[in-house]
Amino acid sequence: MPRKIIIDTDPGVDDTMAIFFALCSPELDVIGLTSIFGNVHTELATTNALRLLEIAGRADIPVAQGAVDPLTQPFEGPVPFVHGEDGQGDIFAPEPAGSAINLSAAQFIIERLRAHPGEITLVPVGPLTNIALALRLEPRIADWVHEVVLMGGNALVPGNASPAGEANIRNDPEAADLVFGAAWQVTMVGLDVTLRVHMKPDDIAEYAAHGNPMSEHISRILPHYRNYFEANYDAEGIFVHDSSAIAYLIDPTLFQVRRWAMRVGTQGLGRGKTWPATGGHTLPAWQGRPLVNVCVGVDGERVVALAAERLRNA
Ligand code: BDR
Ligand code: CA
């Protein structure tokens, strides 16, 4: 039986790759996409999610629109220098035909988890606002979910949106602290591993050769994203963030995991830093918090190969 997942996403170039990777993987059954601000504003995230499903020939999958701002303050704004003004590498693709369903992301998540207790894995690859809102509206989702596997955070390495924080967590640290503190199993696939999943120029070139609509779309949107990485990191090609969470779902043996209680910095320069209790710390702030599976090691080459293989055979 394929595993049911809901991907909460801010597409986004790497979100696009992750969504297509999941759709091409027989181990996974994508039962919905929920949109969130981050790489783009929420409304554009919704449009992109609908468009991606149409490209994949999966317009049957529902899209529910999420929150437009973080829990406690206004959204700081999108990152066109990374993902393009359209969140899709500035290719400005045609508008999708479909539209979002008439439920908010949080309502959709609650409704689906209630209908399939124990069966659904939440896969947030953007800021965690929708997940936190769902928890606030219906705390029993912590019992109904199978698990939460998220892309975000930085345990033992610096941030990318600031020296302290990773972009998804920094966009709503209060929401992230709620999600890491709830009584459910969370796995954090963060920068500790995603910056070691390196897609090289040859791997990127391969997409153009596959000749299926998903690979074609990826090869069109990647150049802008790749330019950003090559201008800012000492490497050719890109690092694969969101697809790493999908790889974890398919084959967790590709990752090394440590289990730590987690807090998220919400103040000052440290806003958005994920702080694991690495030294067995029992300070009050970490006491009583659930242990999070934190990915600290990865076989990056195998993750890249797995994602490529799935798109090749799409
Ligand atoms: C995360 O931030 C976003 O820009 C990416 O889509 C990814 O989810 C990486 O820090
Ligand atoms: Ca993302």
Side-chain angles (χ1 to χ4, degrees), residues 34 49 52 81 95 114 207 214 216 226:
T34 50
L52 295 173
F81 49 94
E95 288 296 297
R114 181 185 284 125
Y207 281 107
M214 286 182 266
E216 233 164 65
R226 178 176 168 184

Side-chain angles (χ1 to χ4, degrees), residues 51-155:
R51 180 186 283 127
L52 295 173
L53 291 172
E54 290 176 15
I55 291 169
R58 293 302 311 273
D60 57 299
I61 296 174
V63 175
Q65 178 151 297
V68 297
D69 283 310
L71 294 184
T72 63
Q73 59 183 50
F75 173 39
E76 283 183 3
V79 283
F81 49 94
V82 186
H83 296 269
E85 294 288 344
D86 60 351
Q88 297 284 285
D90 281 340
I91 66 163
F92 300 102
E95 288 296 297
S99 45
I101 59 170
N102 201 15
L103 284 178
S104 72
Q107 288 168 330
F108 174 75
I109 288 168
I110 293 167
E111 187 259 314
R112 292 291 79 202
L113 291 177
R114 181 185 284 125
H116 300 279
E119 287 182 31
I120 299 174
T121 296
L122 295 179
V123 188
V125 293
L128 292 165
T129 317
N130 290 333
I131 315 299
L133 287 172
L135 264 174
R136 272 189 178 170
L137 277 170
E138 178 48 275
R140 286 178 297 175
I141 65 168
D143 299 324
W144 299 337
V145 80
H146 179 63
E147 60 174 327
V148 180
V149 175
L150 64 89
M151 190 280 136
N154 52 308

Side-chain angles (χ1 to χ4, degrees), residues 17-240:
M17 298 170 78
I19 291 165
F20 287 167
F21 180 17
L23 290 172
C24 295
S25 295
E27 299 88 347
L28 303 175
D29 175 13
V30 181
I31 64 160
L33 299 183
T34 50
S35 64
I36 189 66
F37 60 84
N39 297 324
V40 292
H41 285 285
T42 302
E43 202 179 323
L44 182 52
T46 307
T47 302
N48 285 342
L50 290 162
R51 180 186 283 127
L52 295 173
L53 291 172
E54 290 176 15
I55 291 169
R58 293 302 311 273
D60 57 299
I61 296 174
V63 175
Q65 178 151 297
V68 297
D69 283 310
L71 294 184
T72 63
Q73 59 183 50
F75 173 39
E76 283 183 3
V79 283
F81 49 94
V82 186
H83 296 269
E85 294 288 344
D86 60 351
Q88 297 284 285
D90 281 340
I91 66 163
F92 300 102
E95 288 296 297
S99 45
I101 59 170
N102 201 15
L103 284 178
S104 72
Q107 288 168 330
F108 174 75
I109 288 168
I110 293 167
E111 187 259 314
R112 292 291 79 202
L113 291 177
R114 181 185 284 125
H116 300 279
E119 287 182 31
I120 299 174
T121 296
L122 295 179
V123 188
V125 293
L128 292 165
T129 317
N130 290 333
I131 315 299
L133 287 172
L135 264 174
R136 272 189 178 170
L137 277 170
E138 178 48 275
R140 286 178 297 175
I141 65 168
D143 299 324
W144 299 337
V145 80
H146 179 63
E147 60 174 327
V148 180
V149 175
L150 64 89
M151 190 280 136
N154 52 308
L156 309 175
V157 299
N160 59 356
S162 80
E166 182 278 328
N168 290 341
I169 304 299
R170 191 166 183 278
N171 261 319
D172 196 343
E174 286 80 8
D177 201 46
L178 275 172
V179 170
F180 286 122
W184 54 12
Q185 183 59 63
V186 176
T187 296
M188 176 177 129
V189 184
L191 298 181
D192 303 77
V193 288
T194 65
L195 290 177
R196 291 195 243 160
V197 183
H198 181 196
M199 193 172 272
K200 303 198 178 87
D202 282 355
D203 305 310
I204 292 174
E206 224 203 289
Y207 281 107
H210 292 165
N212 67 62
M214 286 182 266
S215 294
E216 233 164 65
H217 185 75
I218 290 175
S219 69
R220 287 181 68 206
I221 66 176
L222 265 177
H224 180 95
Y225 190 65
R226 178 176 168 184
N227 286 344
Y228 166 78
F229 275 95
E230 293 186 345
N232 289 279
Y233 291 84
D234 190 19
E236 281 190 291
I238 63 163
F239 296 105
V240 179

Side-chain angles (χ1 to χ4, degrees), residues 8-12 14-15 39 83 125-127 151 168 242:
D8 186 70
T9 173
D10 57 338
D14 65 319
D15 300 71
N39 297 324
H83 296 269
V125 293
M151 190 280 136
N168 290 341
D242 293 347

